[in-house]
Amino acid sequence: MKKIINGHKYDTDTAKVIDTYCNELPMSSLDYLCEKLYQKGNGEFFLHGYGGVRTAYANRVSYIVAPVCSGEDIIPLSLDEAKEWVSTHSTVDIYETLFGEVAE
């Protein structure tokens, strides 16, 4: 997926996948959610996520009976947001590889 946001290009084909988080629900669930954290060559982080109709990735579609359907999007992340995502959804090793060692 490619998207331009605030004059910055985000491309899942050229950025490096750091880690993936998917909740353990079946893809047919209205609450299914999967996110991949990417890092661009310039160091910027972003999420590419997709999910069911009860997630932040749902799309509004006016021409069908149900007004909302599953969808996907790209979300740019600040450094602090990327750190939070990794600390919540990833491992200590990945965190420290990206952001440096953390004192005990």
Side-chain angles (χ1 to χ4, degrees):
M1 179 178 195
K2 296 177 188 177
K3 190 170 184 179
I4 295 176
I5 302 170
N6 296 327
H8 296 259
K9 182 177 178 180
Y10 300 89
D11 185 346
T12 58
D13 290 335
T14 59
K16 178 182 175 185
V17 177
I18 301 300
D19 205 358
T20 301
Y21 165 77
C22 296
N23 63 18
E24 296 187 10
L25 298 172
M27 288 185 77
S28 59
S29 170
L30 302 177
D31 298 307
Y32 174 77
L33 175 90
C34 194
E35 294 177 322
K36 288 185 180 183
L37 178 67
Y38 287 84
Q39 187 174 29
K40 295 169 48 173
N42 66 3
E44 287 182 77
F45 291 95
F46 68 94
L47 287 178
H48 172 238
Y50 46 98
V53 300
R54 290 194 297 219
T55 70
Y57 298 104
N59 286 323
R60 291 215 161 278
V61 180
S62 60
Y63 59 87
I64 60 174
V65 176
V68 180
C69 65
S70 60
E72 67 178 322
D73 203 3
I74 286 179
I75 301 170
L77 298 178
S78 68
L79 181 60
D80 287 339
E81 290 168 330
K83 286 180 177 181
E84 179 63 29
W85 191 94
V86 172
S87 67
T88 302
H89 299 296
S90 199
T91 66
V92 170
D93 290 338
I94 290 174
Y95 186 98
E96 291 186 331
T97 297
L98 290 170
F99 309 116
E101 225 173 289
V102 177
E104 290 186 30

